[in-house]
Structure formats: structure tokens, C-alpha cells
Amino acid sequence: MPPVGIVGGLFRNKGCEPMNIHEYQAKKLFAENGVAVPEGYLARTPIEAPWPW
């Protein structure tokens, strides 16, 4: 089993099955554990979306 970390795009914990999680779930876990995550918002139209992407 590889060491704790990101392997092949999946988060792995030693001795556990890989976790395949969505970005919003990862951001929540990081924020709850003191990792800085950028604020985000929903752009409902192309005009609301920042440019350049």
C-alpha cells in the first residue's frame, strides 16, 4: 500500500480504501481542518463568470 497522500488522482489513507470525492467535498474537509481554500461563487450567466478563465 502506498504511503498516505494523493496517488493516481485519488486520496488514499494507509490501510483504507481510496476515497473518490468531489471538489466541494474536498474544499469542505480542507477548510474544517485549517487548510486555506479559495472562496467561490456560482456564475449563472457568462457575464457573471470571471475572464480570463
Side-chain angles (χ1 to χ4, degrees), residues 22-39:
H22 295 279
E23 180 180 357
Y24 77 93
Q25 294 169 313
K27 287 177 78 172
K28 181 181 177 195
L29 287 171
F30 288 160
E32 289 173 350
N33 289 284
V35 178
V37 292
E39 290 292 322

Side-chain angles (χ1 to χ4, degrees), residues 34-45:
V35 178
V37 292
E39 290 292 322
Y41 66 93
L42 174 64
R44 291 184 164 85
T45 67

Side-chain angles (χ1 to χ4, degrees), residues 2-18:
V4 174
I6 300 175
V7 178
L10 298 175
F11 289 92
R12 292 188 185 266
N13 293 322
K14 195 171 186 177
C16 298
E17 292 296 314

